[in-house]
Amino acid sequence: MKHIYELDGVRALSIIAVLSAHLLPLGPSWMELNHSTALLGMSMFFALSGFLITNFLYSSPDRIAAFFIRRTMRIAPLLWLYAFIVAVLIFGRWDSFLAVITFTMNYRDDMIMPGMSHLWSICVEFHFYIFIGLTIWAFGRRGFWLVPLVFLIILALRIDVGATDNIRTHLRVDEIFAGSLTALLWRNRDHGLARKAYGLIGKGFWLWFVLLLLSCHKSMGGLMFFRPFFGFLVLTALLDMKEGWLRRFLRWNVFTYIAGISYALYIWHPLFRLGWLGEQGSKLFFYLVKRPIAIFLSFLFAHISTNTYERYFMKLGRRMEAKLDAREKTRSDQTGG
């Protein structure tokens, strides 16, 4: 699939929103902008993940093993390294480390410690990988018909239990399915009802964006349930948007760089809220000295790990994929196609 650089901009702005919400004061505390900004960033981050994963599987529904290799090598090595540093080396909690490496932490509140509370989202992502991968393995492209059904089931479940903001997979993964819906609509945008829906949604970008912003704030009550749906509308409308200042802005090279290290930024940044860099001391010193140091270290560690540690495992994953493809080709040749 042709690289869509505008999505790099969305990814970069999403991680900037998350980091800002976690590391900076955003307006007066009574406005609760930190919470709503974090929700906005995670919602779009999840939607992008669903979009990219679905696009890969839609174009390569017969490469499920390669899909699992690729996603595991992308997600697990840094996640497990970070969890070992924080859970084992800092807190001496092997049980918490085990909850991370088995992707069960978002169902084990007692395993969540300072510096690790953000790892719930990786569990949600990996659970989505398992579901969508096995679904396409079992049913091929027909399995994608389950995407809108599951999206609606989770929405109904969230409304039933009143979960506007939750870390359990079954009460949050609809934000990833929102991106999956966008991918399916985008892939079929030249056909029938999908073409009409795609064109109609594309005309309302700024309306959808405002509704998405509103649905991220606690004061909006029931509107928050529809945050994943508004994320779907925003992402779909962006892909249909004509060339203009917004698309040029999202293609900014700085955003492309930040998008490239975004996963590492997300993983590393809570480490620099621990110890001396924590909130003890005067607020002035905390925000003028400690927080800039934390932001600098987050980018430094993200840059280094992306281009060394993570790159090694990504290359290893590609070699494993190549061997897998070679075996499949040999098997196909031996069976006559």
Side-chain angles (χ1 to χ4, degrees):
M1 185 184 71
K2 179 183 176 182
H3 190 84
I4 305 173
Y5 285 94
E6 289 84 352
L7 298 187
D8 287 341
V10 176
R11 182 177 294 278
L13 290 172
S14 297
I15 191 62
I16 289 171
V18 172
L19 263 64
S20 299
H22 290 174
L23 298 176
L24 300 172
L26 302 177
S29 58
W30 62 268
M31 295 182 69
E32 298 184 311
L33 294 181
N34 282 70
H35 181 262
S36 59
T37 302
L39 279 182
L40 175 65
M42 284 309 307
S43 183
M44 293 312 297
F45 215 82
F46 274 152
L48 281 173
S49 180
F51 178 83
L52 296 172
I53 293 306
T54 301
N55 263 311
F56 175 82
L57 289 173
Y58 195 91
S59 60
S60 306
D62 57 338
R63 301 193 68 218
I64 302 303
F67 163 73
F68 281 119
I69 291 171
R70 182 175 297 191
R71 297 320 300 165
T72 300
M73 287 299 177
R74 181 69 187 96
I75 295 295
L78 182 60
L79 172 69
W80 294 348
L81 172 65
Y82 180 85
F84 181 78
I85 291 171
V86 177
V88 178
L89 297 185
I90 295 179
F91 291 103
R93 291 282 302 272
W94 282 99
D95 55 346
S96 184
F97 175 69
L98 182 62
V100 173
I101 67 174
T102 56
F103 300 99
T104 58
M105 173 168 275
N106 64 323
Y107 284 93
R108 296 290 306 277
D109 292 347
D110 56 322
M111 299 292 110
I112 300 176
M113 298 173 300
M116 297 182 67
S117 59
H118 64 311
L119 299 184
W120 66 268
S121 64
I122 312 301
C123 299
V124 174
E125 282 227 20
F126 211 82
H127 297 160
F128 172 78
Y129 299 160
I130 293 172
F131 173 84
I132 199 72
L134 293 180
T135 297
I136 303 309
W137 172 76
F139 301 107
R141 280 187 181 167
R142 290 174 298 174
F144 286 119
W145 284 103
L146 287 175
V147 168
L149 177 61
V150 173
F151 178 83
L152 292 174
I153 289 173
I154 295 172
L155 173 61
L157 181 61
R158 288 175 53 238
I159 292 174
D160 181 58
V161 302
T164 58
D165 171 19
N166 201 285
I167 67 172
R168 312 301 189 213
T169 299
H170 67 287
L171 297 175
R172 193 61 177 267
V173 75
D174 53 340
E175 291 186 335
I176 305 181
F177 275 101
S180 189
L181 281 173
T182 296
L184 295 177
L185 192 60
W186 185 73
R187 281 283 184 174
N188 295 279
R189 63 191 182 278
D190 296 326
H191 307 288
L193 290 176
R195 178 174 58 191
K196 294 180 180 178
Y198 190 76
L200 183 63
I201 293 170
K203 296 177 181 178
F205 175 83
W206 292 109
L207 172 60
W208 314 140
F209 184 67
V210 169
L211 288 171
L212 175 62
L213 291 180
L214 292 174
S215 68
C216 292
H217 200 277
K218 287 182 177 180
S219 64
M220 291 296 104
L223 192 67
M224 294 186 73
F225 291 120
F226 299 95
R227 185 175 63 252
F229 180 66
F230 297 138
F232 154 72
L233 294 175
V234 166
L235 194 56
T236 302
L238 176 63
L239 291 170
D240 189 54
M241 184 178 291
K242 292 181 172 60
E243 180 66 20
W245 69 268
L246 181 57
R247 295 194 76 125
R248 291 192 296 272
F249 173 67
L250 292 174
R251 294 197 298 265
W252 191 22
N253 290 339
V254 172
F255 288 156
T256 300
Y257 167 73
I258 294 175
I261 64 170
S262 59
Y263 176 63
L265 269 175
Y266 182 75
I267 293 294
W268 284 114
H269 80 274
L271 178 66
F272 307 112
R273 296 188 299 178
L274 302 177
W276 179 80
L277 288 170
E279 297 185 16
Q280 65 272 17
S282 71
K283 283 192 174 181
L284 186 65
F285 185 75
F286 175 68
Y287 285 117
L288 293 183
V289 178
K290 291 185 179 182
R291 275 305 186 239
I293 292 174
I295 293 170
F296 171 76
L297 290 176
S298 297
F299 275 86
L300 178 63
F301 272 61
H303 177 84
I304 293 173
S305 71
T306 298
N307 292 287
T308 55
Y309 180 76
E310 294 171 73
R311 179 173 292 178
Y312 168 79
F313 285 100
M314 290 293 286
K315 288 181 177 178
L316 177 60
R318 285 194 291 270
R319 289 198 296 270
M320 294 170 65
E321 282 187 59
K323 290 181 180 178
L324 183 67
D325 290 341
R327 285 199 298 269
E328 288 296 324
K329 186 178 185 304
T330 299
R331 186 179 299 114
S332 178
D333 291 343
Q334 289 175 346
T335 57

